[in-house]
Amino acid sequence: MSSPLSQQVVQAKWGGFHLKDLFEIKSSIKRFDANKVTVLERGLHPYIIRSGSNNGQRGYLKENEQFLNEGNTISFGQDTATLSGPTRNINKKIE
């Protein structure tokens, strides 16, 4: 059984885009090493993680606010990130 939304998704014309056309891309002021950062159970600054088996809030950071990214942003860790594509594996450590 398919819903009207499922039919719209199947019939939609899909295309490519560049992230730079959708977002303003900036480097962070400070790099936080996921293997060295202290994660707290409570705090003001949520620490969002991604891994092969879990994505979400791990806890909170207690860091100087001048080094944190602004609110309403998406931040990506680069210390252990890998990329992959739908048709071929392109795992590559980001430097």
Side-chain angles (χ1 to χ4, degrees):
M1 180 176 176
S2 69
S3 68
L5 179 59
S6 296
Q7 292 170 1
Q8 289 176 9
V9 170
V10 170
Q11 295 171 353
K13 292 183 181 179
W14 297 93
F17 57 88
H18 294 275
L19 290 177
K20 67 180 182 176
D21 295 334
L22 303 175
F23 302 99
E24 179 182 353
I25 300 173
K26 297 191 239 179
S27 292
S28 297
I29 296 170
K30 180 179 178 182
R31 177 178 172 244
F32 295 97
D33 188 328
N35 299 318
K36 297 177 183 173
V37 71
T38 300
V39 180
L40 308 172
E41 288 188 31
R42 293 195 169 105
L44 296 176
H45 309 294
Y47 182 51
I48 310 300
I49 60 134
R50 57 45 194 147
S51 71
S53 62
N54 186 21
N55 296 310
Q57 184 173 333
R58 182 173 168 207
Y60 295 88
L61 296 180
K62 183 178 181 182
E63 293 287 340
N64 187 323
E65 289 190 14
Q66 74 180 22
F67 297 121
L68 301 176
N69 294 332
E70 299 175 26
N72 299 318
T73 62
I74 301 172
S75 302
F76 295 95
Q78 295 182 356
D79 54 340
T80 58
T82 57
L83 304 173
S84 61
T87 57
R88 63 187 171 99
N89 188 348
I90 58 169
N91 283 335
K92 179 181 177 185
K93 184 172 180 169
I94 298 174
E95 310 248 350

